[in-house]
Each structure stands twice: as C-alpha cells, then as structure tokens.
Amino acid sequence: MTVPAGDVIAVPSELLKLGDLAFIDVETTGGRPLEDRTTEIAILRFAADGRVERWQSLLNPGVPIPAEIQALTGITNAMVRDAPSFFDVREDVRRLLEGAVFVAHNARFDYGFIKNEFRRQREPFTADVLCTVRLSRALYPAASGHGLDALISRHQLTGFNRHRAMGDTEATAAFVAAAAADRGAATVYAAARRLLRTPSLPPHLPEATLADIPDSPGVYLFYGVNDLPIYIGKAKHLRERIRGHFSSDHMTPNDIRLSQEMRRIEWQPTAGEFSALLLEAQLIKERMPLHNIALRRREKLGFFRLLDETATPPLAWVSAAAVQGASDDLFGPFSDKASAKKWLMYAAREHRLCDHALGFSKPRSVGEPCFARQVGRCFGVCEGVETPGKHRERLRAALTDHALPPWPFSGEVVYEERDPANDRCDLLRFDQWCALAGGARLPFDADVYRLLRRTIDRSPKRFRLIEHAESAAH
Ligand SMILES: [Zn+2]
C-alpha cells in the first residue's frame, strides 16, 4: 500500500499563521468517548518553522475490540495485545499536541476521545479545535457531502490507508493542502480563523446560527428533521448556554446524539432566569421532547407524606406531580424515591428511630425488638417502651429540615420580572410553590421551588396577590 510521507503533503505557510497544526486521527473501540477507548492514534504536526513531525502508535485499550470494529479498522485484539496503553504514550501525545491547533475530520469525536483518555489519567487537556468537516462546508457550501470519502473523491486524494489512524490523518492534511491550492491559501486561512473563533456547532446547522442568538435569558428548542423538538433547555445567557452544548469540552453522549440529529434551533428570550425556568417547564410539559433529561429527572421527584398515627409505615412516597398544594405533612422534595429512602435511613440512625416502626423490617412476633433496638439505637417503640405517638413526634422532628413550608401568601401571586437591558417584562404567577400557566397549576418543580423560596426571602414585596382586574388583563 502506498502511504505518502507527511512531508510530501505541503501545508502552505500562510495556514501556519493559525499556529502549529497538529492533524490527528484516532481509532477506537466504539463511538462513545466516555465509555469507549482508543486503539490507535496518529499525529502529523506541521510547525511554523517548517518542521513536520509524524507519530503513530497502536494502543492497548484495556477492553476487547468488538468484532464489527475490528472488521472496519483492521485493528484486531491480537494487534493491540502488546501495544502500549494510553498511559505509556501520554507524554508523547501531549508534547505533539501542546500549543498546536487540534485539526481533525469530525474533530469533536477525536477531541472527545483524547480528552477522555487524559481525564482517565486525571490530567486536564484542552486545545483549540479545527474541524475539517466544517472547513469543507465553509469552503464548499454547495458540495453534497463532507465525509472523508467524499473529500477524497472530490479532491482526487489517493493512496491513503483508509480507516487506520495515519491514513485518515494524512488524507485530512491532504484535503487542507488541496483546498489551499484550489481556493487560495488566504481564503482557507480566513475560513479556518472564523471557525476557530466561533465555537463548534452541530454539523447540520448553518454557521450563522450562533451569531443570531441573543445573549439574554431565555428558553431554547432543538429540532431534528421533523417538527417536534428533541430538546428544550433554559439559560441565563442563551448564546453561551447553547454553545456549551457543543463545545467539545463538555461533550456528553446526549450532546453527541443531539448534535447529530439537530437541524434547527429556536429560542425565546425572557426577562430573566425565573421566566426562563417557567417557560421551560411549560414547554417541556406541552411538547415532551425526546432527549430531555430534566424531564425524566422531574418525573422521579417526590415527597414523604407523614400519615396519621394508625398508619404503618408512617411515611408514604408521593410523586411531585401528585402534590396538590403545600401542607405541613409533606417533606422534601427528594430527587427520587431511592435517595429519599437512603436519607431516611441515615436520619433514623441519627435520631434513634425504630426499624420496625419505619417499615425497614417486620417483627416476626409481637413485641420483637428491631435490629436498631438490639444494638441500642432505638428508643423501643417496638418493645412497647416508647409510645407510637411519641415515636411519630420524634420522626416529625427528624424530618423537620425537609418540611415543605406553608405557602406564605393567602392565594395566587404575580411576580414581575424585568430586564431593562432588553426592555422586557414578564408576569409570572404562582400558587402553593407551583407556577401557573394558562390558568392551570404546573406540577411541582424543584428548581421553581428553590428559586421561589430564595426570591420570596429576599424580596417578598415584589409578589402581589392576584386581583380580579389583573387576571382579566394580560
Ligand atoms: Zn425498634
């Protein structure tokens, strides 16, 4: 197989005004940077002084390579068995990438893997990233494909050992050289500079999108190919937050999926954080976006309800959606039932409550002491030493820090959120720690609750009771 040497590829010096260019490609055991591992790295670094460095290594990923990946890359388990681990080569990799622009085809992928390999060594890694998919898109917007195979055939780049790290690295560098020959080095340089300044957007979004987004509080909706949003989020600073989803630094598997599916962004500025939070909750409820983690998290949210004296166990789990209003027998919110129970077990130990009475265990015979009693940690309601009423009061005391306080107003209130910078004002309505939208109460939301408590503590006078005249107006 013909593999041209790196120094045969001529990257014009004009482009090296961007800095040293480190072209890189990684082969991996799969597509998820957080879970999958790197099996091969190749780096081709062009320095401003004309030096070219080539480096490549197979890596032992420490996990088996799936058969279909072995077939795709030609890198087999046998080939990596005696290869160094990332730990062994990390100094070389760092030296070759340090101070250079990280250039790769679909760079988000390679950057994610390198960053995570360093993270497993508890070492930070960051770089300015230039993606050649985006560079191709910027230079040849009318072209139909920007995958490496498409570029190779469009620019007649031949002789590369495809799907192995050095072959793909060389093909990527050869594309940049070919584009510079075709469009002029100055044009390629200008496009690359623009891309380095604008953070990476999902591949299918037009480049101008980010510039249009205001830097105000608000809510944003990501759309895929159809008219249903795939994600809804809120932000104090819309542009910055949306950027955050796609900066390679914070790439979660969810962000990667979003980025690939995304075709369109919509946003709605609000007067502040509060309005953004409420609008988000309302839109999520109405539109049920596919990838909303916040939504799934909210569905698990709930409270303990302290039941009357006759009930055993004395606490019931109530999901937040079922909570009708504040009452003095609700304790929480807890993020989910399992963590609530865990908290209760700690509290029980600290307050010397009874395992049997809390339902953690069942007595096998009447009056059998619970385990806590046997180790001297229960006051003995199980043995009839303490009265059930007394035990229940101690349980209430143990829960007291989590008590949902009574709603401090005599009814529904309105809160005016203003953003003088954007001359915007939103009227927000609340009742019983919940937001109201379109006359209906939205389900209890932990974020709304926390923000409400904080805001009421700080400036209670900004909340006004709703009067009839006002509810008629908009
Ligand atoms: Zn007991």
Side-chain angles (χ1 to χ4, degrees), residues 118-324:
F118 275 114
R119 186 157 66 197
R120 288 187 191 100
Q121 313 301 329
R122 302 185 188 283
E123 290 182 24
F125 174 77
T126 53
D128 289 335
V129 176
L130 179 62
C131 175
T132 45
V133 176
R134 302 177 61 227
L135 185 64
S136 172
R137 174 179 284 280
L139 291 168
Y140 302 97
S144 61
H146 300 277
L148 204 47
D149 287 325
L151 298 194
I152 285 171
S153 89
R154 191 178 311 134
H155 298 277
Q156 286 141 32
L157 317 169
T158 48
F160 302 108
N161 189 5
R162 287 283 287 115
H163 300 299
R164 282 295 298 272
M166 189 49 90
D168 285 1
T169 302
E170 285 172 339
T172 304
F175 156 68
V176 172
D182 175 31
R183 302 292 308 276
T187 307
V188 177
Y189 168 77
R193 257 203 84 158
R194 233 181 1 258
L195 291 173
L196 280 169
R197 252 192 264 122
T198 35
S200 51
L201 273 184
H204 302 290
L205 280 188
E207 294 295 341
T209 303
L210 213 54
D212 298 339
I213 302 172
D215 212 22
S216 76
V219 170
Y220 55 94
L221 301 91
F222 293 162
Y223 289 89
V225 283
N226 61 27
D227 282 341
L228 288 174
I230 53 179
Y231 188 87
I232 297 176
K234 59 146 199 307
K236 238 173 162 169
H237 303 280
L238 274 174
R239 195 186 307 154
E240 201 177 291
R241 180 75 190 90
I242 292 171
R243 241 175 225 190
H245 274 284
F246 308 111
S247 82
S248 325
D249 281 17
H250 303 101
M251 202 177 40
T252 65
N254 200 45
D255 283 340
I256 295 173
R257 203 167 49 227
L258 277 177
S259 159
Q260 279 157 1
E261 289 178 27
M262 207 162 127
R263 297 294 182 278
R264 186 161 64 84
I265 302 179
E266 275 178 12
W267 56 90
Q268 206 168 319
T270 61
E273 203 186 349
F274 225 144
S275 338
L277 193 59
L278 265 49
L279 185 59
E280 183 204 25
Q282 190 185 342
L283 287 173
I284 286 179
K285 187 171 168 248
E286 288 168 12
R287 319 283 287 273
M288 301 287 254
L290 211 54
H291 297 318
N292 259 83
I293 289 166
L295 174 69
R296 266 170 270 155
R297 216 167 39 218
R298 269 171 211 162
E299 280 167 352
K300 293 186 188 164
L301 193 76
F303 293 86
F304 278 132
R305 184 189 292 286
L306 186 59
L307 305 172
D308 66 37
E309 282 92 88
T310 59
T312 43
L315 295 172
W317 178 252
V318 192
S319 90
V323 166
Q324 291 303 313

